Amino acid sequence: MSFSEDMADFINSDTPGYLLATVGGSSVGALFDNGFASALDIAGSGPRITLPTASAPSAALGDAVTVSGASYTIAGIESDGTGITVLRLQEV
């Protein structure tokens, strides 16, 4: 049995943290997180956006991303196989 839900039901303007981002020139709805992390005495932030996979089907490493006026590039793409993708970002 396969999982088939419309991820827009979970990531939409009613979701706390929802915003519009630009990924590769296209506007997409996403959740932005720039949480602080520390491991092995190395600390920093890890900006990322979480979005429905269908919202950015052609996202590729190095693509430009703009979130709230800040510029990033895609440093990692993590699709969970259920229709949700996390784009790990690197600030430009």
Side-chain angles (χ1 to χ4, degrees), residues 1-70:
M1 177 181 228
S2 66
F3 181 82
S4 62
E5 288 289 331
D6 181 359
M7 291 301 129
D9 290 341
F10 301 98
I11 300 177
N12 58 52
S13 60
D14 292 330
T15 307
Y18 178 88
L19 52 75
L20 291 177
T22 302
V23 177
S26 298
S27 182
V28 297
L31 303 176
F32 178 71
D33 180 34
N34 194 12
F36 179 80
S38 177
L40 303 172
D41 293 328
I42 300 171
S45 65
R48 65 185 181 188
I49 58 173
T50 302
L51 66 161
T53 302
S55 293
S58 61
L61 295 176
D63 280 358
V65 176
T66 304
V67 179
S68 299

